[in-house]
mmCIF file of all heavy atoms in Angstrom:
data_model
loop_
_atom_site.group_PDB
_atom_site.id
_atom_site.type_symbol
_atom_site.label_atom_id
_atom_site.label_comp_id
_atom_site.label_asym_id
_atom_site.label_seq_id
_atom_site.Cartn_x
_atom_site.Cartn_y
_atom_site.Cartn_z
ATOM 1 N N TYR A 249 20.294 -13.264 4.414
ATOM 2 C CA TYR A 249 19.326 -14.001 3.595
ATOM 3 C C TYR A 249 19.120 -13.306 2.257
ATOM 4 O O TYR A 249 19.238 -12.061 2.159
ATOM 5 C CB TYR A 249 17.985 -14.082 4.332
ATOM 6 C CG TYR A 249 18.027 -15.036 5.494
ATOM 7 C CD1 TYR A 249 18.362 -14.608 6.769
ATOM 8 C CD2 TYR A 249 17.753 -16.399 5.283
ATOM 9 C CE1 TYR A 249 18.396 -15.510 7.831
ATOM 10 C CE2 TYR A 249 17.789 -17.289 6.330
ATOM 11 C CZ TYR A 249 18.096 -16.839 7.604
ATOM 12 O OH TYR A 249 18.162 -17.721 8.634
ATOM 13 N N ARG A 250 18.807 -14.127 1.248
ATOM 14 C CA ARG A 250 18.562 -13.551 -0.068
ATOM 15 C C ARG A 250 17.251 -12.754 -0.145
ATOM 16 O O ARG A 250 17.171 -11.779 -0.876
ATOM 17 C CB ARG A 250 18.523 -14.723 -1.079
ATOM 18 C CG ARG A 250 18.370 -14.304 -2.491
ATOM 19 C CD ARG A 250 18.702 -15.464 -3.407
ATOM 20 N NE ARG A 250 18.337 -15.157 -4.770
ATOM 21 C CZ ARG A 250 18.275 -16.061 -5.723
ATOM 22 N NH1 ARG A 250 18.564 -17.323 -5.463
ATOM 23 N NH2 ARG A 250 17.934 -15.724 -6.953
ATOM 24 N N HIS A 251 16.282 -13.181 0.589
ATOM 25 C CA HIS A 251 14.988 -12.442 0.615
ATOM 26 C C HIS A 251 14.497 -12.346 2.054
ATOM 27 O O HIS A 251 14.767 -13.238 2.875
ATOM 28 C CB HIS A 251 13.931 -13.174 -0.215
ATOM 29 C CG HIS A 251 14.245 -13.226 -1.661
ATOM 30 N ND1 HIS A 251 14.781 -14.339 -2.274
ATOM 31 C CD2 HIS A 251 14.112 -12.272 -2.624
ATOM 32 C CE1 HIS A 251 14.950 -14.086 -3.571
ATOM 33 N NE2 HIS A 251 14.570 -12.835 -3.802
ATOM 34 N N TYR A 252 13.666 -11.309 2.303
ATOM 35 C CA TYR A 252 13.032 -11.203 3.635
ATOM 36 C C TYR A 252 12.187 -12.440 3.891
ATOM 37 O O TYR A 252 12.117 -12.933 5.012
ATOM 38 C CB TYR A 252 12.130 -9.978 3.686
ATOM 39 C CG TYR A 252 12.898 -8.676 3.907
ATOM 40 C CD1 TYR A 252 13.050 -7.767 2.877
ATOM 41 C CD2 TYR A 252 13.449 -8.401 5.137
ATOM 42 C CE1 TYR A 252 13.738 -6.592 3.073
ATOM 43 C CE2 TYR A 252 14.125 -7.228 5.361
ATOM 44 C CZ TYR A 252 14.263 -6.312 4.317
ATOM 45 O OH TYR A 252 14.972 -5.151 4.560
ATOM 46 N N MET A 253 11.510 -12.937 2.840
ATOM 47 C CA MET A 253 10.609 -14.084 3.080
ATOM 48 C C MET A 253 11.360 -15.262 3.635
ATOM 49 O O MET A 253 10.865 -15.909 4.602
ATOM 50 C CB MET A 253 9.863 -14.448 1.778
ATOM 51 C CG MET A 253 8.879 -15.565 2.009
ATOM 52 S SD MET A 253 8.035 -16.015 0.522
ATOM 53 C CE MET A 253 7.027 -17.382 1.096
ATOM 54 N N LEU A 254 12.540 -15.571 3.093
ATOM 55 C CA LEU A 254 13.281 -16.706 3.590
ATOM 56 C C LEU A 254 13.714 -16.453 5.043
ATOM 57 O O LEU A 254 13.661 -17.334 5.916
ATOM 58 C CB LEU A 254 14.472 -17.008 2.694
ATOM 59 C CG LEU A 254 15.196 -18.298 3.000
ATOM 60 C CD1 LEU A 254 14.270 -19.509 2.826
ATOM 61 C CD2 LEU A 254 16.425 -18.477 2.113
ATOM 62 N N LYS A 255 14.184 -15.209 5.292
ATOM 63 C CA LYS A 255 14.606 -14.873 6.662
ATOM 64 C C LYS A 255 13.421 -15.083 7.627
ATOM 65 O O LYS A 255 13.570 -15.669 8.698
ATOM 66 C CB LYS A 255 15.033 -13.396 6.677
ATOM 67 C CG LYS A 255 15.368 -12.856 8.063
ATOM 68 C CD LYS A 255 15.888 -11.436 7.972
ATOM 69 C CE LYS A 255 16.205 -10.849 9.314
ATOM 70 N NZ LYS A 255 15.221 -9.851 9.730
ATOM 71 N N GLU A 256 12.258 -14.653 7.186
ATOM 72 C CA GLU A 256 11.076 -14.735 8.070
ATOM 73 C C GLU A 256 10.599 -16.169 8.268
ATOM 74 O O GLU A 256 10.136 -16.540 9.332
ATOM 75 C CB GLU A 256 9.998 -13.788 7.545
ATOM 76 C CG GLU A 256 10.422 -12.351 7.803
ATOM 77 C CD GLU A 256 9.758 -11.295 6.888
ATOM 78 O OE1 GLU A 256 8.872 -11.668 6.100
ATOM 79 O OE2 GLU A 256 10.194 -10.127 6.958
ATOM 80 N N ILE A 257 10.793 -17.001 7.229
ATOM 81 C CA ILE A 257 10.479 -18.440 7.379
ATOM 82 C C ILE A 257 11.405 -19.027 8.475
ATOM 83 O O ILE A 257 10.964 -19.760 9.365
ATOM 84 C CB ILE A 257 10.634 -19.206 6.044
ATOM 85 C CG1 ILE A 257 9.526 -18.797 5.061
ATOM 86 C CG2 ILE A 257 10.641 -20.708 6.260
ATOM 87 C CD1 ILE A 257 9.702 -19.357 3.653
#
Side-chain angles (χ1 to χ4, degrees):
Y249 287 91
R250 183 165 169 192
H251 294 101
Y252 281 108
M253 184 179 175
L254 189 61
K255 174 175 178 254
E256 288 156 6
I257 289 174

